[in-house]
Amino acid sequence: MDTKKLATFYNLAQTKNYSKTAEEIFLTQATVSKHIMALEKEWGIKLFSRKHRKVTLT
């Protein structure tokens, strides 16, 4: 398990915004998305619900 991906998850759970998370932890939005997708694949669960530009924890 990668601690950078966990940090990305934690920050996204706090901000609920991919752009703000990327800005705060000095990554691109694409990298934030890849980190979340990798965690979801590794754990076999959906971590966030994404609807109409809104992000919520599942």
Side-chain angles (χ1 to χ4, degrees):
M1 185 178 316
D2 186 359
T3 57
K4 289 181 183 181
K5 290 176 185 162
L6 287 176
T8 302
F9 167 75
Y10 178 77
N11 192 286
L12 184 57
Q14 296 279 337
T15 66
K16 295 181 179 78
N17 185 296
Y18 278 83
S19 298
K20 189 166 182 162
T21 293
E23 183 179 314
E24 287 183 3
I25 58 178
F26 306 104
L27 297 173
T28 65
Q29 281 182 265
T31 302
V32 170
S33 184
K34 287 177 186 177
H35 282 188
I36 299 304
M37 287 189 293
L39 287 174
E40 289 176 334
K41 185 176 180 181
E42 182 178 340
W43 295 337
I45 59 170
K46 189 173 179 181
L47 298 172
F48 292 96
S49 176
R50 302 158 187 90
K51 292 182 183 177
H52 305 291
R53 294 185 170 212
K54 293 193 179 197
V55 179
T56 55
L57 285 167
T58 56

